Amino acid sequence: MTSTTLPNWLTRVGVFDLETTGVDVATDRIVTAHVGVLDRHGREIAARDWLADPGIPIPDGAAAIHGISTEHARTHGRPAGEVVAEISNALRVLFAQGMPIVAYNASYDFSLLANEAARHGIPALIDPQPVIDPLVIDKAYDRYRPGKRTLSVVAEHYAVPLDDAHEASADAVAAGRVALALAREFGLSQTAAELHTQQIGWARDQAESLTEYFIKAGRLDPAEALDGSWPVRG
């Protein structure tokens, strides 16, 4: 049953997204980033973007997704350490205000940011919270819906426009609007802290379920397991 009201803590949310050199949170690097703030209507009322020189070549496959080539990043991007420090500080400020931060597949973005911080000797975010992950929430509330769960697909399902997928600002804002749509659709917890704790359990359960599926499909060795730690992988 759809609710038209939002919990008070959801009337203003931060949004966060990274575009990177690849999908390995331990070794890949930040290329572009966006941190913003949305109001209760999904309008962005504050925003900042970054372009980094990641210090390594950007693979053609990654460049084809987000549109940033190695040459462009080297010419126009800022030193990676400066960018990582500024992103971390922007998020730290929002968390200090008690603002929840929305990130789609949050364990990817927050884990990669943590590894980048360690790489550049920058203080990492300690236990970032409260975080809202529309991917985890959507899977928890609508577990058996068929089809992919990419941001583009889920945004379309909840009638959220996403015209420039894989562009950090567009993805961040769309994820924030999906979070607001989920709150109206399902009625989320009345406190951000409670929802954060729920997502820790949901993410763990989802990883265990996906591990079982991958083992049965022959895509994982029976001794292996997907990391269900959230919002920062172990």
Side-chain angles (χ1 to χ4, degrees), residues 107-224:
S107 64
Y108 173 79
D109 296 87
F110 280 101
S111 300
L112 195 145
L113 180 63
N115 284 312
E116 279 276 61
R119 185 174 293 119
H120 294 286
I122 294 161
L125 294 170
I126 304 300
D127 190 23
Q129 61 176 296
V131 173
I132 301 172
D133 189 338
L135 174 61
V136 170
I137 296 169
D138 180 54
K139 284 182 176 180
Y141 278 94
D142 201 356
R143 179 178 180 182
Y144 298 107
R145 188 178 75 245
K148 295 181 178 180
R149 301 290 177 127
T150 63
L151 176 58
S152 296
V153 170
V154 173
E156 182 178 6
H157 178 76
Y158 291 104
V160 171
L162 176 54
D163 297 327
D164 297 306
H166 301 297
E167 195 275 325
S169 61
D171 284 1
V173 171
R177 291 171 178 168
V178 169
L180 298 177
L182 286 165
R184 292 188 175 96
E185 182 75 18
F186 298 113
L188 302 180
S189 298
Q190 289 303 303
T191 71
E194 182 181 6
L195 180 60
H196 184 94
T197 300
Q198 287 176 324
Q199 289 172 97
I200 292 172
W202 293 337
R204 181 184 60 245
D205 293 344
Q206 289 163 12
E208 290 175 356
S209 178
L210 191 56
T211 294
E212 292 178 4
Y213 172 78
F214 280 167
I215 290 173
K216 289 179 181 178
R219 296 172 62 181
L220 269 183
D221 185 276
E224 296 179 302

